[in-house]
């Protein structure tokens, strides 16, 4: 997964490869605080699948201090066997009045992404965001 | 200018719009989408599956699906036809050797029931190359004038220089907006 300033496509954060241990561990992302000033931010997830998947979908939730503040459901549908795929989402910022300070957010925000085939959970990741 | 600006121009009568980007491998599909989002286009790997770009503006979502075009992947294209609002077909204008092949693939797509009546934009890409055929030549070579069952448009473009991308995407947006207003779709 990576995060970019959507207007300039400048890279702000990039995770390494996610392994099986992602089931148990929380990933920590330290992001420059200027990400909060971007008018739009994009997040991209890349994944490979050896097997064909028929009803691939994803549920993503952003939590702030345990409360869900943003939710994305996305249906990919069919995944080609042996394929490498990517999903990039671009999110516009809430506007200055609704913007929260880096100090208030840092370490309190998590992005939870669940990958499913129909109703069967395949994979889940949790990334905790810190601002510096 | 980029996809986000285009999205702001879409009427929000629907919650979501879906654009499908197809074409032979190496046509420049991924490069076009990256260029539109102002991303670096120097390290692009051939698409072995799909690349999706989802953009959200207020409550409206635009999803652009770029599916790999290698011969081995093409049989899977049909898995992605559902609920498509517009088709963008990308042609490498300098690949004269495969002009027939790309014409055949496009012809087959236009026969697909699930894509019936859906507006199609053809990008005559790689116009920056000297050996590129013009959009008129491609139009004639592929007999595009025989397309009667939908609106279509061919746009000369270069993903490398950015030429024509904007114009092409504006056309797509105008078509989706017309459809949303009950134009093209309500005819049948
Ligand atoms: N000269 C030139 N090369 C291009 C253009 N668009 C794409 N390419 C190159 O064509 C190759 C294939 O592009 P890619 O986007 O991967 O094609 P795809 O398989 O259709 O997604 C890459 O090497 C690109 O750099 C263009 O407009 N002009």
């Amino acid at each position: 997964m990576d995060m970019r300033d959507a207007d300039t496509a400048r890279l702000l954060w990039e995770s390494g490869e996610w392994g099986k241990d992602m089931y148990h561990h929380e990933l920590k992302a330290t992001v420059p605080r200027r990400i909060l000033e971007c008018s739009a931010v994009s997040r991209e997830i890349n994944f490979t699948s050896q097997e064909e998947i028929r009803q691939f979908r994803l549920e993503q939730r952003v939590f702030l201090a345990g409360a869900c503040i943003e939710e994305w459901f996305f249906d990919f549908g069919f995944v080609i066997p042996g394929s490498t795929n990517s999903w990039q989402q671009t999110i516009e910022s809430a506007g200055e009045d609704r913007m929260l300070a880096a100090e208030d957010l840092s370490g309190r925000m998590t992005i939870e992404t669940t990958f499913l085939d129909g109703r069967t959970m395949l994979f889940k990741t949790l990334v905790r965001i810190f601002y510096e | 200018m980029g996809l986000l600006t285009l999205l702001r121009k879409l009427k929000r009568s629907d919650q979501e719009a879906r654009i499908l980007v197809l074409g032979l491998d190496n046509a420049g599909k991924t490069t076009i989408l990256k260029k539109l989002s102002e991303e670096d286009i120097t390290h692009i790997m051939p698409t072995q599956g799909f690349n999706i770009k989802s953009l959200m503006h207020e409550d409206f979502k635009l999803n652009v699906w770029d599916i790999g075009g290698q011969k081995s992947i093409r049989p899977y294209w049909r898995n992605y036809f559902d609920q498509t609002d517009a088709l963008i077909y990308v042609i490498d204008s300098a690949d004269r050797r495969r002009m027939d092949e790309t014409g055949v693939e496009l012809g087959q797509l236009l026969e697909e029931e699930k894509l019936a009546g859906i507006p199609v934009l053809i990008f005559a890409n790689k116009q920056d190359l000297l050996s590129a055929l013009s959009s008129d030549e491609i139009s004639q070579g592929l007999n595009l004038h025989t397309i009667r069952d939908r609106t279509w448009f061919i746009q000369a473009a270069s993903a490398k220089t950015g030429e024509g991308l904007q114009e092409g995407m504006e056309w797509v947006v105008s078509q989706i907006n017309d459809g949303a207003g009950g134009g093209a779709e309500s005819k049948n």
Side-chain angles (χ1 to χ4, degrees):
Chain A
M1 179 163 141
D2 71 34
M3 291 187 223
R4 289 167 193 275
D5 176 341
D7 289 314
T8 61
R10 194 166 40 178
L11 187 69
L12 297 170
W13 178 75
E14 190 171 29
S15 76
E17 209 156 295
W18 286 340
K20 290 262 181 256
D21 58 341
M22 279 303 300
Y23 283 111
H24 311 291
H25 291 284
E26 186 179 279
L27 211 71
K28 191 174 140 181
T30 306
V31 182
R33 62 173 63 207
R34 66 184 147 79
I35 198 172
L36 295 170
E37 284 151 29
C38 298
S39 67
V41 173
S42 69
R43 290 200 286 262
E44 182 167 319
I45 293 174
N46 286 287
F47 54 92
T48 340
S49 178
Q50 286 316 310
E51 323 260 314
E52 155 183 328
I53 308 176
R54 302 220 144 252
Q55 291 182 55
F56 190 54
R57 60 191 190 89
L58 162 160
E59 292 181 3
Q60 190 169 59
R61 292 184 181 84
V62 180
F63 292 97
L64 177 62
C68 182
I69 55 167
E70 188 190 307
E71 207 170 40
W72 276 75
F73 294 148
F74 196 87
D75 271 316
F76 297 96
F78 191 83
V79 177
I80 300 168
S83 63
T84 299
N85 309 281
S86 75
W87 180 51
Q88 184 194 67
Q89 32 169 186
T90 299
I91 305 117
E92 291 194 289
S93 82
E96 258 174 75
D97 47 329
R98 284 175 55 199
M99 214 125 78
L100 298 155
E103 292 73 29
D104 296 335
L105 291 175
S106 194
R108 300 176 69 215
M109 198 162 95
T110 52
I111 303 177
E112 179 196 87
T113 314
T114 312
F115 299 91
L116 305 105
D117 181 7
R119 289 180 173 186
T120 314
M121 207 233 290
L122 301 174
F123 201 80
K124 189 171 183 163
T125 70
L126 195 64
V127 181
R128 186 172 293 274
I129 312 285
F130 292 87
Y131 295 96
E132 64 174 10
Chain B
M1 180 63 183
L3 288 171
L4 205 53
T5 320
L6 285 164
L7 174 61
R8 295 184 184 120
K9 291 187 181 173
L10 278 171
K11 284 185 205 157
R12 280 171 288 118
S13 59
D14 252 328
Q15 281 301 311
E16 249 175 278
R18 173 172 170 130
I19 299 176
L20 188 59
V21 184
L22 297 174
L24 300 190
D25 49 303
N26 211 48
K29 300 177 289 295
T30 310
T31 313
I32 287 177
L33 292 183
K34 291 222 178 223
K35 185 77 183 176
L36 281 167
S37 343
E38 279 156 59
E39 285 167 65
D40 181 16
I41 56 168
T42 52
H43 307 286
I44 293 178
M45 303 291 284
T47 308
Q48 307 283 353
F50 51 67
N51 290 313
I52 304 169
K53 291 190 185 289
S54 293
L55 299 100
M56 183 154 69
H57 174 60
E58 289 161 18
D59 278 333
F60 186 81
K61 275 186 205 157
L62 173 67
N63 296 312
V64 184
W65 292 65
D66 154 28
I67 319 280
Q70 293 102 310
K71 217 169 187 147
S72 58
I73 293 186
R74 282 179 228 160
Y76 294 111
W77 280 357
R78 53 177 56 242
N79 290 296
Y80 301 97
F81 293 163
D82 281 339
Q83 290 167 328
T84 297
D85 296 292
L87 173 66
I88 297 179
Y89 193 79
V90 183
I91 295 177
D92 176 347
S93 311
D95 189 356
R96 295 167 187 246
R97 195 174 54 82
R98 293 203 295 169
M99 207 45 76
D100 287 340
E101 187 180 344
T102 199
V104 168
E105 292 291 349
L106 174 61
Q108 285 175 2
L109 288 172
L110 299 181
E111 303 272 297
E112 290 285 347
E113 204 173 311
K114 283 184 177 166
L115 297 176
I118 287 167
V120 57
L121 169 74
I122 295 135
F123 269 131
N125 191 35
K126 305 202 187 180
Q127 289 296 323
D128 59 289
L129 297 177
L130 280 175
S131 55
L133 294 170
S134 73
S135 57
D136 280 347
E137 286 170 309
I138 291 176
S139 203
Q140 277 166 23
L142 302 187
N143 283 318
L144 297 183
H145 58 273
T146 59
I147 305 175
R148 296 259 155 79
D149 57 347
R150 68 189 72 224
T151 56
W152 63 274
F153 186 65
I154 184 163
Q155 173 67 52
S158 165
K160 200 168 178 184
T161 65
E163 172 205 338
L165 299 185
Q166 164 77 19
E167 291 85 343
M169 296 309 292
E170 296 257 357
W171 183 84
V172 170
V173 167
S174 72
Q175 293 301 308
I176 294 178
N177 279 342
D178 285 355
E185 261 158 38
S186 61
K187 268 186 222 140
N188 42 51

